[in-house]
Amino acid sequence: MAADYNVLERAGRTGENHEFLLTPGPLTTSKSVKAAMQRDWGSWDQPFIDLTAEICTGLNTMAGGGDDFVCVPIQGSGTFAVEAMLGTMVPRGGHCAVLVNGAYGERIVKILEVMGRCCTILRSPETKAYDVAALDEALRDDCTITHVAAVHCETTSGVLNPLNAIAVVTARHGRALLVDAMSSFAALPIDVRALPCDGLVSSANKCIQGVPGMGFAILRRKALATTAGNAHSLSLDLHDQWVYMEKSGRWRFTPPTHSAAALAVAIDEHTGEGGVGGRGGRYASNHGVLVRGMREMGFETLLADAVQSPIITAFLEPADSRFSFERFYDLLAARGFVVYPGKLTVAPTFRIGTIGAIEAEDIRGLLKAVRSVLNEMGVRDAAPARETTAAE
Ligand SMILES: *Cc1c(COP(=O)(O)O)cnc(C)c1O
């Protein structure tokens, strides 16, 4: 395969990776993050207890939590953290309004339904940001709503929801906001005290650039202290995890030791890059290079630029009948770039993530590979069918 971009050469930086994951996580991690997993840790040993405390302090600082908030880590993928936050923070007799404009908002609804919590769904189209006025109205009309759940960056489409406006409206009505900041935390500014919110979740393997295995919640200490007995699940009880950890410094049940060790290094690298500003700046530059280059080839983004996040971008599939996503995917993967299928109902799309240990230079390598793949497929113009264009 005559790749015009030397992936193997670039692999030195990411530790023998032969492929770049241009996905929303797991994503490309640095060589030093992977190297941190070469040691075995005893979960009861002081060094691992210290490592856990260091991670929690680092994440709480990143969120602007101070003494009012605590970071509670939880084993599992990001969804486990979402489920743990909802089950712990929303009491059994609570009522949660859920803002939905994609698959992750739908997942919050499903979680609440499975655990038997009352919920009200406020849907917006997948290509639009949340409707803040509709939330305002719902909170005014229904005083039984106790909590509001929102997704910051809806990874389904890449749409960035207006978190500050949501928080202001929720606080004005005296309700508690819970945020799925899975794909935005560490790259886009979020200050939990200033927002305000009662809780936020994210995971190790998104913009912090760690590896999968654990998520975490940043929770308002006063609110968390009132949640004993709320949880529907033993293993996903964040109050219990918190109380045990405060007492012993240890995780209840086996911790993801290697993932935690990698996360500690990833947090150091995040700080070294200039924190949220530095990390978000690199992603914005990756995203800018990607969108300009793809538009030059005729591709169109699903979303209008005003609601597009720099995390992941959905592109409409070209109308040319010689284009097939499966073939496009395979030919790009053979050139060292793994992209992501679409997950939308409104139009056929595919997605390209711009997060992880990748730089503008890597995106330029991807653009060359896309050009060469289109050539190989015989697609001369990447423009989508007119009627599916949503980004006007
Ligand atoms: C990735 C992601 C999740 C969690 O997904 P997992 O597959 O369980 O890690 C939740 N919400 C959003 C917005 C995400 O991007």
Side-chain angles (χ1 to χ4, degrees):
M1 177 61 55
D4 31 13
Y5 172 78
N6 196 336
V7 171
L8 289 180
E9 194 177 279
R10 303 300 303 158
R13 176 158 47 76
T14 56
E16 309 314 317
N17 258 22
H18 290 194
E19 287 174 335
F20 282 109
L21 301 179
L22 301 171
T23 57
L27 35 69
T28 311
T29 58
S30 72
K31 194 171 180 170
S32 35
V33 163
K34 283 190 273 284
M37 293 184 285
Q38 292 303 313
R39 168 178 171 187
D40 301 315
W41 301 73
S43 63
W44 278 64
D45 295 345
Q46 194 59 41
F48 188 72
I49 290 174
D50 294 344
L51 181 97
T52 298
E54 182 192 319
I55 289 170
C56 291
T57 304
L59 295 172
N60 188 46
T61 302
M62 217 182 274
D67 291 338
D68 296 344
F69 283 76
V70 291
C71 171
V72 187
I74 187 80
Q75 297 93 330
S77 88
T79 304
F80 291 57
V82 176
E83 189 160 353
M85 174 174 72
L86 293 169
T88 304
M89 302 300 281
V90 181
R92 298 195 186 199
H95 178 178
C96 191
V98 189
L99 290 151
V100 178
N101 57 353
Y104 293 100
E106 299 289 357
R107 191 173 297 174
I108 289 178
V109 172
K110 191 156 185 199
I111 288 170
L112 289 166
E113 283 172 358
V114 166
M115 62 174 74
R117 299 292 196 277
C118 178
C119 83
T120 290
I121 307 167
L122 301 168
R123 280 199 180 83
S124 308
E126 285 173 318
T127 54
K128 302 277 186 261
Y130 288 154
D131 185 346
V132 183
L135 174 67
D136 195 14
E137 203 172 307
L139 295 182
R140 197 188 55 217
D141 293 350
D142 191 344
C143 62
T144 70
I145 295 172
T146 54
H147 291 74
V148 173
V151 180
H152 187 198
C153 171
E154 179 46 87
T155 322
T156 313
S157 62
V159 70
L160 189 62
N161 285 309
L163 192 55
N164 287 313
I166 297 290
V168 165
V169 166
T170 305
R172 191 182 338 114
H173 289 279
R175 320 299 167 83
L177 176 64
L178 301 172
V179 183
D180 172 351
M182 205 67 64
S183 64
S184 57
F185 187 72
L188 302 176
I190 303 176
D191 184 319
V192 287
R193 273 184 299 185
L195 251 182
C197 69
D198 265 16
L200 163 163
V201 280
S202 185
S203 78
N205 63 278
K206 301 231 174 169
C207 300
I208 303 176
Q209 297 183 185
V211 303
M214 60 176 285
F216 55 89
I218 311 287
L219 302 170
R220 188 180 293 281
R221 189 188 291 272
K222 270 193 184 146
L224 178 61
T226 67
T227 61
N230 278 0
H232 62 298
S233 153
L234 175 68
S235 52
L236 296 178
D237 185 342
L238 291 179
H239 182 271
D240 209 33
Q241 178 94 315
W242 174 54
V243 168
Y244 185 80
M245 212 169 250
E246 290 271 290
K247 199 169 64 202
S248 66
R250 300 188 188 103
W251 301 55
R252 296 172 316 158
F253 322 140
T254 302
T257 47
H258 294 73
S259 176
L263 178 57
V265 170
I267 292 170
D268 283 347
E269 292 186 349
H270 182 269
T271 308
E273 195 176 349
V276 172
R279 177 74 38 105
R282 175 164 56 81
Y283 292 170
S285 142
N286 288 348
H287 170 76
V289 171
L290 174 71
V291 170
R292 273 193 302 278
M294 293 293 278
R295 282 180 178 157
E296 269 168 30
M297 285 178 251
F299 283 101
E300 288 181 20
T301 58
L302 172 76
L303 300 179
D305 291 350
V307 293
Q308 172 70 57
S309 70
I311 306 296
I312 187 164
T313 310
F315 292 96
L316 295 161
E317 283 192 9
D320 192 316
S321 61
R322 281 161 295 201
F323 183 88
S324 114
F325 177 73
E326 286 69 34
R327 188 123 192 274
F328 182 71
Y329 179 96
D330 288 342
L331 292 172
L332 273 180
R335 286 162 171 79
F337 298 96
V338 176
V339 296
Y340 212 56
K343 203 181 192 175
L344 284 118
T345 48
V346 288
T349 56
F350 62 89
R351 291 174 290 174
I352 300 182
T354 35
I355 60 178
I358 49 167
E359 309 199 354
E361 184 190 345
D362 305 317
I363 300 295
R364 282 189 278 272
L366 163 75
L367 290 168
K368 272 191 189 167
V370 170
R371 258 184 223 106
S372 130
V373 165
L374 289 182
N375 219 24
E376 191 172 332
M377 293 171 78
V379 176
R380 264 188 295 277
D381 180 5
R386 279 303 104 201
E387 62 275 17
T388 60
T389 306
E392 76 277 322

